[in-house]
Amino acid sequence: MPAPILEALSEGVLIYDGAMGTQIQAADLKPEAFILNAPTYEHPRVQAAAERLEGKNLDGCNELLNITRPEVIEAIHSRYFEAGSDIVETNTFGATSIVLAEYQIEELVYEISLEAARIARRAADKHSTTRKPKFVVGALGPGTKLVSLGQTTWADLEATYCDGFKGLLEGGADALLLETLQDLLMVKACIVGAQRAMAETERKVPLFVQVTMEQTGTMLLGTEMSAALNMIEAFPAVVAFGINCATGPVEMAPHVRYLGQNSTRPIAVQPNAGLPIMEHGQAKYKLTPEDLAKHHDTFVSEFGVAMCGGCCGTTPAHIKAVAQAVGGRKHSADAHWIKNRHLFPGFDFTMKTDEQAAAQSLVGCSSLYQFQPYHQDASFLIVGEKTNANGSRAFRDMLAAENWEGLTELARELEGEGSHVLDVCTAYVGRNEERDMRILLSHYNRHITVPLMIDSTEWPVIEASLQTVAGKPIVNSINYEDGGGRVDKVLSLCRQYGAGVVALTIDEDGMAKSAEKKVEIADRLLKATREYGLPDHDVFLDCLTFTLGSGDEEFRESAHETIKAIEEIRRRHPRVNSILGVSNVSFGLKPATRQILNSTFLHYCLEAGLTAAIVHFSKIKPENQIEPDVWKIATDLVYDRREFAFR
Ligand code: THG
């Protein structure tokens, strides 16, 4: 059974409310409203805070009004319902410990959220009819600190958003909303916090996410909409996605169009009443109700927007106009999410069939800044190999010296050479891999624009890494060496934090040598990734290759076996990606020889259907830059044709 709010959403366009802050100001409250004073509060922690604060005025803390002036907040919700809102947001924009600490009441997150949800619930129940139910969305804002800039931590965010959402859930919210979000790393921490709140309260409701696009056309830290959407779609719990605040509908239009063309989830849009105009030192919002309604009309009919509302400067009059224009309208048939709706009955995104995954327009990964498609026209997904403690002396030396700036510079160089993704590994004997990953990735998160591949076999390192990089990374890697325990652990991390995964053809007997064995393990790995609901396109099968440089008789066929396996896997699982650490093929040979063998081997792997490769890209040469006789020798070596002599 889909949640009631989703059932209503499936019928047609739903109307959100407008601004809360301006309505509170208009209520012309006396200073006492911002003082916790009565010793009669239901909650012991609120009573204790009242005593401790000794009548201190917490002017500006609108969330406090949920405790001190519930009737004022309820009246505002009621005015929005009367204007035509189907949904109101709880008065909890700043109900997190980070914001409430500014008023020395950081311990009241839960109580404030609980009361806020109860207030909105009362208003919703009073205005509901069987034909037209009204809904409460428990909404938390971004707070005042940016985790990607190190101003707060993942753990603090996850904990306080979990707390706030628990109050909202227990107070009766029909759905949860994260709104006005500015930092993709924060988005992830808050989504994880929301899911924890649902698990701990045993109340599962839909989760909605809305980001804020600044006038510059990106999120505050420079994130493009494509990166935000790509990351969000990796979280099955997020049922609707959209934007609110910062600008009016005119400035939002390009983003709304983008979502209409690319989002598989219903779209929500809550613009400000235009850009603010300063008058006597005060921001004034001038967009009229009729104009807001006109823009929403376009958004709904042309871009398939499913939930319409307003943010700063919008009033019940705005909502009334919007509700009259688009309330209950059937969804436009052209929107991407509508075209694919049959794939998501009840808007349930939890298990992805391959068909559902194929509906996704944004197949790829992302950084804090950018979306990176896995499929590169006329090329392959180039994964830079040098940001690896085992793969580069320069990297290792700088890691040992804790030269984070130098390590960042090295990553920038790889980016400049054309790498689409960087493989990052800090596993180095005698050092703390997890600590090094945390520090390094917090630098890369901010300063590197391409997405990252987290190269580690230890799940605690992987989890710490997933809590440090924004966007949607790729985890490198899983295998069946230990029989499957680690596969399960790491796949559940990929699902929880939203990541793609590299899967190696290694099992209890070690690294697969023959093509048959590689294909067999690949099938087993794919069975697991599908069980965890990872779409096929987020899986990179790695058929692995041994070095041809040892001269060992046993390994002469190994490159050819790898090529055959790549071909067969491509045939069997066309949507799955494949990847190789190409340089492994030439370990032990001289640098000049390695370049040639790596280039030749990569060439044949790509012909066989390889879609991604971990390489030192500037050292890869195309066939036409290698002497034909040298190319032939390298080819003979790759395919183990025995007439050559190779030194
Ligand atoms: N599959 C997956 N991940 C992988 C590998 C793989 N990660 C690690 C590795 N293999 C791929 N990365 C590298 C990185 C560097 C080298 C080889 C593979 C390399 N480095 C030079 C050397 O060791 O001689 C060092 C050069 C220098 O010091 O600068 O060859 O197969 N999924």
Side-chain angles (χ1 to χ4, degrees):
M1 258 283 282
I5 191 169
L6 296 185
E7 227 166 320
L9 185 61
S10 77
E11 297 291 314
V13 172
L14 293 183
I15 307 298
Y16 261 114
D17 54 3
M20 171 61 74
T22 34
Q23 297 301 301
I24 290 175
Q25 270 168 21
D28 223 357
L29 295 167
K30 302 233 160 61
E32 296 91 83
F34 294 95
I35 298 173
L36 270 183
N37 54 12
T40 54
Y41 295 120
E42 175 192 338
H43 309 288
R45 266 200 298 251
V46 179
Q47 276 183 33
E51 277 163 38
R52 176 171 52 78
L53 289 163
E54 295 177 336
K56 187 163 187 252
N57 188 314
L58 306 183
D59 192 26
C61 184
N62 285 346
E63 291 72 21
L64 191 69
L65 300 173
N66 295 314
I67 306 279
T68 58
R69 293 290 182 278
E71 68 289 349
V72 172
I73 304 302
E74 189 181 330
I76 295 171
H77 290 322
S78 289
R79 278 204 291 284
Y80 277 119
F81 280 133
E82 281 150 20
S85 292
D86 300 297
I87 306 169
V88 298
E89 295 182 25
T90 52
N91 175 35
T92 45
F93 186 72
T96 63
S97 61
I98 293 164
V99 177
L100 295 182
E102 292 170 18
Y103 303 96
Q104 298 157 309
I105 51 170
E106 65 270 25
E107 76 278 20
L108 302 186
V109 168
Y110 174 82
E111 288 82 355
I112 283 175
S113 308
L114 177 71
E115 290 306 323
R118 286 177 175 170
I119 294 164
R121 181 80 270 154
R122 279 201 297 276
D125 291 345
K126 278 181 201 163
H127 292 86
S128 281
T129 61
T130 13
R131 211 179 50 80
K132 228 172 168 8
K134 303 281 182 178
F135 300 101
V136 172
V137 163
L140 296 178
T144 46
K145 293 186 175 167
L146 296 164
V147 63
S148 278
L149 302 188
Q151 296 166 350
T152 181
T153 64
W154 174 291
D156 283 352
L157 286 174
E158 188 187 321
T160 191
Y161 280 79
C162 175
D163 242 16
F165 279 136
K166 274 164 85 169
L168 292 168
L169 286 165
E170 289 181 343
D174 297 294
L176 301 180
L177 169 67
L178 286 157
E179 63 165 323
T180 328
L181 297 175
Q182 296 151 334
D183 175 351
L184 285 191
L185 184 55
M186 146 170 244
V187 177
K188 287 202 278 194
C190 297
I191 291 173
V192 172
Q195 286 178 277
R196 217 175 86 199
M198 291 191 225
E200 289 179 14
T201 56
E202 293 178 41
R203 263 204 84 207
K204 197 164 181 302
V205 302
L207 175 61
F208 305 151
V209 172
Q210 292 172 188
V211 298
T212 294
M213 302 305 280
E214 302 293 330
Q215 274 192 66
T216 54
T218 65
M219 287 168 71
L220 190 62
L221 298 177
T223 309
E224 292 174 3
M225 182 55 103
S226 50
L229 180 60
N230 168 254
M231 187 193 90
I232 296 290
E233 290 203 322
F235 290 90
V238 180
V239 175
F241 180 57
I243 48 177
N244 71 284
C245 207
T247 73
V250 175
E251 296 76 18
M252 280 186 182
H255 304 300
V256 180
R257 169 185 317 199
Y258 184 85
L259 291 178
Q261 291 166 347
N262 294 285
S263 174
T264 50
R265 317 285 157 93
I267 302 154
V269 179
Q270 307 204 65
N272 289 348
L275 294 172
I277 293 159
M278 292 311 281
E279 274 178 10
H280 314 296
Q282 267 202 322
K284 295 277 180 209
Y285 295 92
K286 300 276 187 171
L287 190 79
T288 63
E290 292 66 38
D291 280 342
L292 182 63
K294 224 168 56 202
H295 286 291
H296 270 310
D297 184 80
T298 310
F299 289 167
V300 169
S301 59
E302 294 190 13
F303 310 139
V305 167
M307 290 190 272
C308 300
C311 202
C312 302
T314 58
T315 62
H318 287 87
I319 293 308
K320 187 168 178 195
V322 173
Q324 278 171 355
V326 298
R329 193 190 286 177
K330 292 277 165 279
H331 300 297
S332 139
D334 293 334
H336 187 71
W337 78 271
I338 285 289
K339 285 190 199 146
N340 293 294
R341 224 180 104 187
H342 61 284
L343 295 171
F344 303 102
F347 298 106
D348 182 3
F349 298 92
T350 38
M351 282 311 251
K352 280 202 161 62
T353 63
D354 209 25
E355 198 192 354
Q356 286 169 343
Q360 239 165 296
S361 338
L362 296 184
V363 174
C365 52
S366 46
S367 67
L368 174 59
Y369 305 109
Q370 282 179 354
F371 167 63
Q372 184 70 263
Y374 292 147
H375 301 286
Q376 300 289 328
D377 292 340
S379 182
F380 58 99
L381 189 73
I382 301 160
V383 182
E385 72 175 19
K386 272 191 86 171
T387 37
N388 184 334
N390 299 306
S392 156
R393 168 169 284 282
F395 182 94
R396 189 162 55 231
D397 291 347
M398 286 191 281
L399 188 67
E402 307 204 352
N403 177 1
W404 309 112
E405 281 67 36
L407 290 162
T408 304
E409 201 45 50
L410 188 143
R412 277 226 189 85
E413 277 165 30
L414 298 187
E415 203 176 7
E417 285 174 3
S419 296
H420 300 124
V421 173
L422 303 184
D423 183 54
V424 184
C425 172
T426 61
Y428 182 29
V429 185
R431 291 193 61 85
N432 182 334
E433 181 187 0
E434 184 180 324
R435 172 184 172 274
D436 285 348
M437 268 304 225
R438 271 189 199 278
I439 299 174
L440 183 63
L441 291 182
S442 68
H443 283 80
Y444 284 6
N445 183 46
R446 258 177 297 163
H447 299 300
I448 302 301
T449 55
V450 296
L452 303 177
M453 188 171 263
I454 296 161
D455 190 341
S456 176
T457 50
E458 305 300 319
W459 70 258
V461 176
I462 293 171
E463 182 158 30
S465 304
L466 290 168
Q467 294 182 350
T468 311
V469 286
K472 175 184 165 193
I474 304 167
V475 170
N476 181 12
S477 55
I478 55 169
N479 69 67
Y480 276 113
E481 200 172 10
D482 73 340
R486 266 198 253 172
V487 167
D488 288 333
K489 183 65 199 173
V490 174
L491 286 181
S492 69
L493 291 177
C494 291
R495 209 58 184 140
Q496 186 184 2
Y497 294 98
V501 71
V502 175
L504 310 182
T505 52
I506 298 176
D507 70 2
E508 296 84 344
D509 302 326
M511 225 165 114
K513 268 186 222 141
S514 69
E516 291 72 37
K517 185 75 186 180
K518 290 176 200 282
V519 172
E520 182 195 314
I521 301 175
D523 284 349
R524 182 176 169 198
L525 287 159
L526 268 181
K527 200 163 160 276
T529 57
R530 287 170 182 164
E531 243 162 56
Y532 277 87
L534 242 81
D536 278 5
H537 62 237
D538 273 326
V539 180
F540 289 78
L541 282 173
D542 188 334
C543 288
L544 295 166
T545 198
F546 296 86
T547 180
L548 294 173
S550 69
D552 264 350
E553 193 63 26
E554 189 192 347
F555 294 116
R556 295 180 67 137
E557 269 292 318
S558 65
H560 190 194
E561 292 298 313
T562 298
I563 292 171
K564 284 191 285 185
I566 291 168
E567 231 161 29
E568 177 60 13
I569 288 170
R570 187 102 199 116
R571 198 184 62 75
R572 287 189 190 205
H573 312 291
R575 275 202 267 272
V576 176
N577 279 290
S578 59
I579 190 167
L580 265 186
V582 169
S583 306
N584 295 16
V585 79
S586 63
F587 272 134
L589 297 172
K590 293 198 194 116
T593 316
R594 290 194 70 178
Q595 272 192 40
I596 290 163
L597 182 55
N598 291 350
S599 301
T600 313
F601 181 53
L602 175 62
H603 173 92
Y604 292 114
C605 290
L606 291 172
E607 259 185 15
L610 190 77
T611 62
I614 308 175
V615 287
H616 190 172
F617 185 55
S618 61
K619 299 277 171 67
I620 296 293
K621 293 184 176 182
E623 181 177 1
N624 63 17
Q625 282 177 28
I626 296 175
E627 292 296 323
D629 52 332
V630 175
W631 182 267
K632 176 166 187 313
I633 293 171
T635 302
D636 286 345
L637 182 62
V638 167
Y639 286 101
D640 189 32
R641 293 174 191 142
R642 301 233 175 174
E643 65 274 28
F644 63 85
F646 204 80
R647 269 182 290 274

